[in-house]
Amino acid sequence: MGRTNTKKMVQGAMIAAIFGALSLFNTYTGSMFDVLICYVMSVPLVWYGYTYSLKDNIIVCVVSMFVIAMMGLPFFVISSIESCLAGLFIGEALKRKAKKETILFGTLAVTFLNNILIYEVFSGLLGVDLIAEMRDMYITMIQPISALSNRISLEFFIALAPLFLLMVSVMEMYVIVLMCQIILMRLNIQFPGSFHIANMHLSKPVGLILSIGLVVSYGLVKFGYVDSIYLTYLYTICVVVLALQGLAFLSWLLIVKEKAKFMIFVLLGLFIPMVNTFYVVIGIVDIFSDLRENILYNRHSND
């Protein structure tokens, strides 16, 4: 019993010390790697939480945050909150054998909370101005395609700031969860399935809700002339999720065809207007059909 407690304390102290060293490294490199480091920091906390109790993991997180607060820059300190909360949640969720959806949405709540802290609560302290950043992003976006300014105004683009935070949070969530799975499965920690984008497959009820939301929001804005930012939020969310489903299918297809090296081109297509519309169509077909099963069946029949 004493040996277990000693081992637990030593491992917890090592994690806190590593976080302190990473905080110093980030400070001396001018915060060049702060976001990447914060993603990596979640991994040992997930392992520790999976191996030991929630109370032990909380103690390690508190000590780690104290060490980081003494050595790190403000942005890194606040970003580390995301790492600690994600480590606590994912470690406990894996221990309790939670579903994939629970892990994804729980981690999304953590990343979204962290972005609220950075861009809203502590924006003055950190010198972060979300509106100014979106204004610069808009200018960068319309410079190569000036015709976009006729379709998307600066005021409208800035009004999408909450949706932008949500999208960023989703990407951060996916990176954290996927990184934890890639590393920790090598340590024999079991995950409730693969989080690879190719394995994404929405259920038909969810697909129906998204499709109805897409049609209704588009119809009200385009033909009903209803000017509502909330309808725009609904339309954008439906388009993005369905496009991601299309991306998931195409990624799966490339893996099946043993051409996974071309997945980078499929990912880039997500940011091309006409192509991502095609992804939405593919996503809807993938949800409501047995396309994957038919492809696998035909492949095995040919073999």
Side-chain angles (χ1 to χ4, degrees), residues 135-147:
R135 187 179 293 111
D136 294 339
M137 190 185 307
Y138 176 81
I139 295 173
T140 304
M141 181 180 67
I142 66 170
Q143 278 180 345
I145 310 176
S146 58

Side-chain angles (χ1 to χ4, degrees), residues 46-68:
V46 172
W47 171 82
Y48 195 84
Y50 182 85
T51 307
Y52 302 109
S53 68
L54 177 61
K55 178 182 177 181
D56 295 326
N57 205 12
I58 291 175
I59 293 174
V60 172
C61 287
V62 171
V63 174
S64 299
M65 284 303 305
F66 180 74
V67 173
I68 292 171

Side-chain angles (χ1 to χ4, degrees), residues 34-271:
D34 48 6
V35 176
L36 177 61
I37 291 174
C38 287
Y39 292 156
V40 175
M41 283 168 54
S42 300
V43 178
L45 291 175
V46 172
W47 171 82
Y48 195 84
Y50 182 85
T51 307
Y52 302 109
S53 68
L54 177 61
K55 178 182 177 181
D56 295 326
N57 205 12
I58 291 175
I59 293 174
V60 172
C61 287
V62 171
V63 174
S64 299
M65 284 303 305
F66 180 74
V67 173
I68 292 171
M70 290 191 302
M71 301 179 178
L73 298 173
F75 185 88
F76 185 76
V77 173
I78 296 174
S79 297
S80 299
I81 296 175
E82 176 184 74
S83 305
C84 292
L85 292 179
L88 286 170
F89 172 76
I90 299 175
E92 195 65 20
L94 291 177
K95 187 190 302 181
R96 296 176 182 271
K97 301 185 183 302
K99 296 181 179 179
K100 287 175 60 176
E101 294 79 8
T102 302
I103 295 176
L104 290 174
F105 283 109
T107 309
L108 175 60
V110 171
T111 56
F112 188 67
L113 172 63
N114 181 71
N115 284 316
I116 293 296
L117 292 177
I118 291 175
Y119 291 100
E120 294 294 334
V121 180
F122 297 107
S123 59
L125 172 65
L126 302 176
V128 176
D129 189 341
L130 178 60
I131 303 302
E133 290 186 8
M134 293 201 67
R135 187 179 293 111
D136 294 339
M137 190 185 307
Y138 176 81
I139 295 173
T140 304
M141 181 180 67
I142 66 170
Q143 278 180 345
I145 310 176
S146 58
L148 282 176
S149 60
N150 298 325
R151 300 180 57 184
I152 304 175
S153 66
L154 176 60
E155 293 74 16
F156 175 79
F157 188 76
I158 291 177
L160 297 178
L163 198 58
F164 171 76
L165 288 183
L166 178 61
M167 298 300 179
V168 171
S169 301
V170 170
M171 290 187 288
E172 291 179 350
M173 171 270 293
Y174 183 71
V175 171
I176 290 174
V177 172
L178 189 61
M179 185 175 297
C180 288
Q181 183 175 43
I182 292 174
I183 297 175
L184 295 179
M185 284 191 68
R186 298 179 181 274
L187 301 178
N188 297 322
I189 293 180
Q190 298 299 316
F191 281 74
S194 174
F195 288 97
H196 193 284
I197 185 64
N199 291 305
M200 173 183 172
H201 195 278
L202 300 174
S203 63
K204 290 183 179 179
V206 174
L208 182 61
I209 293 173
L210 290 171
S211 300
I212 293 175
L214 176 65
V215 173
V216 170
S217 59
Y218 180 81
L220 289 175
V221 173
K222 188 72 174 179
F223 304 106
Y225 303 103
V226 179
D227 187 13
S228 173
I229 190 64
Y230 298 107
L231 286 176
T232 303
Y233 288 166
L234 176 61
Y235 174 78
T236 306
I237 290 173
C238 293
V239 167
V240 170
V241 176
L242 291 173
L244 285 174
Q245 181 63 63
L247 172 67
F249 171 78
L250 294 174
S251 300
W252 174 86
L253 184 62
L254 288 173
I255 293 175
V256 170
K257 298 294 185 179
E258 299 180 353
K259 298 183 183 298
K261 60 184 178 181
F262 295 109
M263 285 177 59
I264 183 63
F265 298 106
V266 175
L267 179 61
L268 292 176
L270 190 66
F271 302 97

